[in-house]
């Protein structure tokens, strides 16, 4: 068994869909699905991460596939602890006398009870000290912005289980609006669309593939097609159907309008000085759902604001959390 005096400090973005782990001095080492496989009694963890996700929709009755987080927050304390412990041991195998410090991303609208549950899970999994940072604020750091400055940054954060619109200034959230659905909600809409309109039952894993490969809010892409396999609702036989991108717009349009409404709600709450910043700079878009084809352009058009997005918005938060881990004084400047 490996032995060390001090374990390497970590930053973690524990998301509804995926978990990313950053090791101090080395960068992002883990990016795996936030999924566990349990026995039918729910007492033993049989698989975690990518291995567990590969089993979704393919397990017998005695095996259960679960997600320990819902809407970006802890839904099961013990499973979250098991997940964190698994990732921590991958980074710091063996025994350490002094356990690692941890920077962990949390949703903007997290409650004190939810934050305490996550903190307790991390402590039980083997951390000695924890800095909780707003996920949207961390994403600002990861995008190369300066959220510690007295300038408003309107940030739209769309993940798998939650969507947040926040106005960031001086390392804090000035105003925020959140809804408890995002990418997973779109997957559910796609599943329902195929059942209601194509007489086909598909799993959420297939729905996610359809969302990534075909869904678009761009009119010019409306004629793109894809063959989708599933089970015929009437006969229960395996079946393949063709679907056009334009047919799926109804699955995303209402959600996109919700995001636009959230932007206006946040703008109504902020001081005029920060409104001027938003007028000049527009908004930044982050989170795993941000690259959905046409979503950025739709929000720009409806809000009359320009936007900025990084090369890989799904990694913004963990990159920012890593920066805070490497230089905590920059983050703690207005929080001491």
């Amino acid at each position: 068994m490996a032995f060390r005096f001090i374990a390497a400090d970590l930053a973690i973005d524990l998301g509804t869909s995926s978990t990313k782990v950053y090791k101090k001095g080395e960068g992002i080492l883990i990016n795996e699905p936030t999924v566990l496989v349990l026995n039918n009694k729910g007492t033993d963890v049989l698989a975690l991460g990518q291995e567990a996700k590969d089993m979704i929709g393919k397990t017998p009755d005695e095996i259960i596939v679960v997600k320990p987080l819902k809407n970006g927050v802890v839904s099961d304390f013990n499973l979250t602890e098991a997940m964190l412990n698994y990732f921590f041991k991958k980074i710091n195998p063996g025994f350490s006398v002094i356990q690692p410090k941890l920077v962990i991303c949390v949703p903007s609208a997290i409650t004190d009870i939810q934050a305490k549950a996550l903190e307790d899970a991390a402590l039980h999994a083997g951390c000695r000290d924890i800095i909780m940072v707003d996920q949207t604020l961390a994403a600002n750091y990861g995008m190369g912005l300066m959220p510690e400055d007295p300038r408003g940054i309107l940030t739209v954060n769309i993940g798998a289980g939650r969507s947040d619109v926040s106005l960031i200034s001086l390392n804090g959230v000035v105003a925020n609006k959140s809804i408890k659905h995002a990418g997973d909600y779109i997957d559910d809409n796609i599943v329902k669309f195929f059942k209601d309109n194509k007489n086909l039952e598909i799993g959420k894993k297939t729905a996610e593939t359809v969302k990534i490969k075909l869904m678009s809010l761009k009119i010019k892409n409306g004629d793109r097609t894809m063959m989708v396999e599933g089970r015929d609702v009437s006969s229960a036989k395996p079946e393949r159907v063709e679907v056009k991108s334009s047919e799926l717009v109804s699955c995303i349009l209402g959600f996109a309008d919700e995001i636009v409404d959230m932007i206006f709600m946040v703008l109504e709450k902020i001081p005029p000085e920060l409104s001027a910043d938003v007028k000049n700079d527009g908004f930044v878009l982050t989170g795993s759902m941000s690259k959905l084809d046409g979503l950025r352009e739709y929000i720009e058009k409806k809000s009359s604001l320009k936007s900025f997005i990084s090369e890989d918005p799904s990694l913004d938060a963990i990159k920012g959390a890593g920066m805070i881990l490497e230089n905590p004084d920059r983050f703690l400047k207005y929080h001491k």
Side-chain angles (χ1 to χ4, degrees):
M1 178 183 291
F3 175 84
R4 68 182 61 78
F5 186 68
I6 302 177
D9 294 337
L10 309 172
I12 186 166
D13 179 14
L14 187 63
T16 304
S17 175
S18 63
T19 295
K20 295 97 173 174
V21 184
Y22 176 106
K23 183 177 181 180
K24 187 173 184 178
E26 295 189 26
I28 302 169
L29 299 186
I30 292 176
N31 184 355
E32 290 195 45
T34 311
V35 183
L36 299 93
V37 172
L38 309 173
N39 63 358
N40 62 346
K41 295 181 181 179
T43 55
D44 297 323
V45 177
L46 306 179
L48 302 98
Q50 186 60 53
E51 182 184 1
K53 185 174 182 179
D54 291 341
M55 299 181 188
I56 293 177
K58 301 178 180 180
T59 59
D61 292 340
E62 60 268 21
I63 296 177
I64 306 168
V65 180
V66 297
K67 292 186 175 183
L69 273 79
K70 184 177 181 181
N71 304 132
V73 296
V74 173
S75 60
D76 188 298
F77 174 87
N78 292 325
L79 294 182
T80 302
E81 179 185 340
M83 175 70 77
L84 290 172
N85 191 53
Y86 164 75
F87 288 126
F88 293 167
K89 286 185 176 179
K90 286 190 73 171
I91 297 291
N92 290 311
F95 176 77
S96 304
V97 176
I98 299 178
Q99 296 301 314
K101 290 183 179 180
L102 178 68
V103 173
I104 188 165
C105 299
V106 297
S108 298
I110 192 170
T111 66
D112 290 342
I113 294 174
Q114 292 166 341
K116 184 65 167 61
L118 183 56
E119 182 179 18
D120 288 346
L123 290 171
H124 279 82
C127 292
R128 76 178 191 274
D129 189 24
I130 299 170
I131 295 176
M132 288 194 175
V133 56
D134 184 282
Q135 186 183 55
T136 301
L137 175 59
N140 280 188
Y141 276 96
M143 297 172 83
L145 304 176
M146 302 288 288
E148 70 267 44
D149 287 350
R151 185 170 187 84
I153 304 174
L154 182 63
T155 309
V156 180
N157 186 356
I158 311 174
R162 179 185 289 268
S163 302
D164 290 291
V165 176
S166 302
L167 197 289
I168 304 293
S169 180
L170 296 172
N171 276 348
V173 178
V174 178
N176 166 264
K177 179 64 179 177
S178 299
I179 52 175
K180 295 180 179 179
H181 53 256
D184 288 350
Y185 170 76
I186 305 304
D187 295 343
D188 291 336
N189 287 348
I190 293 173
V191 170
K192 187 175 186 301
F193 166 83
F194 274 93
K195 187 173 183 179
D196 294 346
N197 298 278
K198 299 292 184 179
N199 205 41
L200 191 76
E201 289 185 343
I202 64 171
K204 290 194 66 173
K205 198 172 180 180
T206 300
E208 183 180 20
T209 301
V210 171
K211 177 183 68 181
I212 294 171
K213 292 186 175 182
L214 187 64
M215 180 170 278
S216 175
L217 280 170
K218 294 179 179 178
I219 296 175
K220 67 178 182 179
N221 295 330
D223 290 331
R224 292 190 311 185
T225 62
M226 178 179 177
M227 297 302 298
V228 179
E229 297 180 342
R231 181 177 62 196
D232 186 271
V233 173
S234 303
S235 66
K237 294 180 181 179
E239 189 60 82
R240 298 178 76 217
V241 301
E242 185 179 66
V243 63
K244 293 174 64 175
S245 177
S246 59
E247 295 180 89
L248 297 171
V249 170
S250 61
C251 299
I252 180 69
L253 197 59
F255 171 75
D257 286 333
E258 280 190 272
I259 298 297
V260 175
D261 290 342
M262 289 165 64
I263 289 175
F264 289 127
M265 290 178 189
V266 169
L267 293 178
E268 288 175 354
K269 299 178 182 177
I270 63 176
E273 289 81 3
L274 294 177
S275 295
D277 293 337
V278 175
K279 179 65 176 176
N280 292 327
D281 300 336
F283 65 92
V284 296
L285 194 58
T286 187
S288 58
M289 267 285 289
S290 296
K291 294 187 78 171
L292 191 143
D293 194 34
L295 180 60
R296 175 188 178 188
E297 292 82 358
Y298 184 86
I299 297 173
E300 282 183 332
K301 183 177 179 180
K302 289 289 186 176
S303 66
S304 299
L305 295 170
K306 60 184 179 181
S307 68
F308 169 76
I309 190 170
S310 69
E311 184 176 340
D312 189 349
S314 68
L315 297 180
D316 290 339
I318 187 59
K319 287 180 178 178
M323 293 172 67
I324 293 169
L325 179 69
E326 301 284 359
N327 184 12
D329 288 342
R330 181 181 173 192
F331 167 70
L332 295 171
K333 184 176 180 181
Y334 299 106
H335 293 270
K336 292 180 180 179

